[in-house]
Amino acid sequence: MPAGGKPPAGYLMEVCVPPIIELKDIYKIYPNGVMANKGVDFSVNAGEIHALVGENGAGKSTLMKIIYGMEKPTEGKVFVEGVERHFNSSRDAIDAGIGMVHQNFMLVPSFTVAENIVLGQEPTKNGLLKKRQAIDETLQISQQYGLRVDPEAIVDTINVGMRQRVEILKALYRGANILILDEPTAVLTPQETQELFSAIRKLVDQGKTVVFITHKLREVKEVSDRVTVMRKGKAIGTLPTEEATRESLARMMVGREVLMRVDKPPSERGRKVMEVQNLSYVDETGRRVLNNVSFNIYAGEILGIAGVEGNGQTELVEILTGLRPATSGDALVNGNPVLNKTPREVRMAKVSHIPEDRLTNGLALEASINENLIVDRYFRSPFRKGTSIDYKTVRDFGAQSIKEYGILTPDGDLPVASLSGGNMQKVIVAREFTSDPELLIAAQPTRGIDVGATEFVREQLVQKRTEGTAVLLVSADLGEVMSLSDRIIAVYEGEITGVFPDAESLGEEELGLYMLGIKKQPAEEMEVLL
Amino acid sequence: MSFDVVLRSIFSAAFLASVLRISTPLILPALGGLITDLSGAINIALEGIMLVSAFTGVIVSAYSGSVGLGVIAGVISGILISYVLGWFHLHMKTDIILAGIAINILATGGTIFLLFVLTGDKGNSQSLASGTVPNIHLPFIQDIPFIGRVISGQHVFVWIAFLLTWLVAVYLYRTPWGSHLRAVGENPDAAETMGINVNRTRMIALLISGFLASFGGLTMSMAYLSFFQREMTAGRGFIALAAVYLGGRKPWGTLAAAILFGFADALSHQLGSLRVPSQLVQTIPYVVTILALVIYNLREQAIKRDRQRKFYEQQQAEMGSGGGL
Ligand SMILES: Nc1ncnc2c1ncn2[C@@H]1O[C@H](COP(=O)(O)OP(=O)(O)O)[C@@H](O)[C@H]1O
Ligand SMILES: [Mg+2]
């Protein structure tokens, strides 16, 4: 190479410089005997955006935790910038310029943004905290990397997007050159995802290297330079993103063709199950979130709600399931009012609910799988025996559900927290489907879960509907809404902007105009279709 | 003595001075409870630690003839016991509540046993010549009417209690260690990934609580009384924990709550001179503790309900006035 001349970056990377991170033949066996990584080779080049994809439980997080020093490999070697390293804790990895944003946020809720960012490396004078300096430094790196945060806001009160920016800034504050993001988009709205991607690009422009884990193949195509696919603890392959297609990646991930289209028999619409009339909701801050919403759901149909996230869907579902009081309006299930009732009363009216946030509303993480499967019915026969719970029946029921719904676990008495995201969702689906609902309200039923589990949940939804259950489907995944629904309602800013009785013949662009509030059907026309 | 005499005496300087004196052995352990509670490993062995320190202080001061050595030994014994608790909980992974209960029981029985071995008496240590810490007379201030008689002439532990409250507040909210401690209590995973050693932080919190509680114990046997008496802490280590919650898990709030309990205790002493059954009077501090906690919770709920109600009213008003639906 000519002395002094600066060769093109790509050439330099491939020929001279070793990968910035290289893992060789990594094995990881957890104390409970799970072998999460089985001989993984993995390398990341300096300055690239490297996507890591794979089903839930494939071992992606484990591999990243090994790089970040949180887990020690049972066997294998870790090289950072060509030097072999043995990290004893994340502290060591941080010192080596590695930062990681975890799947579940690692923030202290009662602390301010700035306090969280400087945690563990606070600026001090004579042993006392310099709060002003922490705020200033936060502002400064926030501006440098274009990650907008409010340094003095209490973390408990900020939204998910900002929490994630705080996490990234935490790593950057510690001088991270290599940033690992574990499923950063799973909790983000589409807009927030876009903001995150532009932030990632900006980071790479400033010389950082980014590894990010995702389930969404669209995102891989959109933002990454190279992609590595993992399956069942092994790295199946790494390829430049241009050479990858969504189909080929999906095939590598699950080892078989994934059904992207859902086969479903035609809908046989039955009687009216739910009737929502002039429902309105004003939130704590006085914002009008839902404005005079009316619609019906019939037995044997899936009614899909299409809308950009944050247009009132979350609140609508929470109101209909008893988690949030309505401001005005009515909602009836089989003629019985369900508004402003407790969740149990709503469930007694034969309503099931797959909540949007499975970690807080869907499951009790520390409770066992079996217990989670019966939380909505432990007080009824056959689970109740006198004043106590009949655990034998519970176990039998658990074993049967685990088998029927393909929940991957050796034992139903293990805590739900030990399952991967996809399997957690299967626990919820099993519970909600076995309660024999007449109305099923499914919010983001496949968000953040792997391809196999997604396919399973979708099939189950269609099956329930074919058996005669009324289904309300709310999803940020437009493809999902369009392929599953029999009828679609478009919402924009808390109002219904259009009703489409024949979901199949509808074009994505056409629907988009209603979702973005550009078009709106006349009221008379909608009334007939609702 | 009639009731109005009692009433008048409550508002006397002597009574307020006694409130401060009686509150001290609550304030000190309560601060220790606060720190451990915030660190996520609450020390419920405060009672036992106080007992052991009270005992050790008396014995060492009696045998060495030095009050200073007695105090030092008492403090060291308190720290050692909290270290044992920390070792069981953090290294052997025992439940901290169970380990705490074990220590409390051991301390009650152990102090009585050793008292008997050393003095031949199972009741108290009055046969030993142990010392007491000095009282502090403030020049000039003691001449101020009323106030002078309240705050001057108190024993040093009263002053130490207030000083330590301030130090604990500074520690928790102004230093990085306090910030780490609170982070560990709230989200240990977050702290861990930022390179903060969770176990070490909790151990330090436990040791500090041992230090603080031991002062509470020494107050009992080397200031408030001048000898050790079996079970002399009489549940103060638990009331101290109640003070932590009543005080909103904040240092100055905890201090205020401890003084409230001290007030109730002092009151029961005053009323003891009335012709009321003494057993009934002695329940006052405990009844006040329960009442205070109940009122505290009711108030919290009322505040929440009130917020909710205002919110609805506001919404109704908006809906009525001009949604223009
Ligand atoms: N701390 C742990 N202890 C035991 N098993 C674990 C632990 N963390 C993950 N596992 C198991 O290891 C496997 C891989 O998990 P993980 O790395 O989280 O996968 P991914 O991130 O690809 O979804 C899963 O079967 C999971 O249950
Ligand atoms: Mg993972």
Side-chain angles (χ1 to χ4, degrees), chain A residues 107 109-110 122 129 282 291 325, chain B residues 174 180 186-187 312 315 325:
Chain A
L107 297 172
S110 77
E122 297 85 352
L129 291 171
V282 180
N291 196 1
Chain B
R174 296 261 166 260
H180 297 178
E186 232 183 289
N187 189 346
Y312 279 127
Q315 278 181 2
L325 299 182

Side-chain angles (χ1 to χ4, degrees), chain A residues 54-62 65 100 103 182-183 213 215 420-421:
Chain A
E55 285 199 74
N56 275 311
K60 308 177 297 289
S61 297
T62 302
K65 285 179 189 166
M100 178 161 173
Q103 210 164 344
D182 195 351
E183 294 193 31
I213 299 180
H215 284 301
S420 67

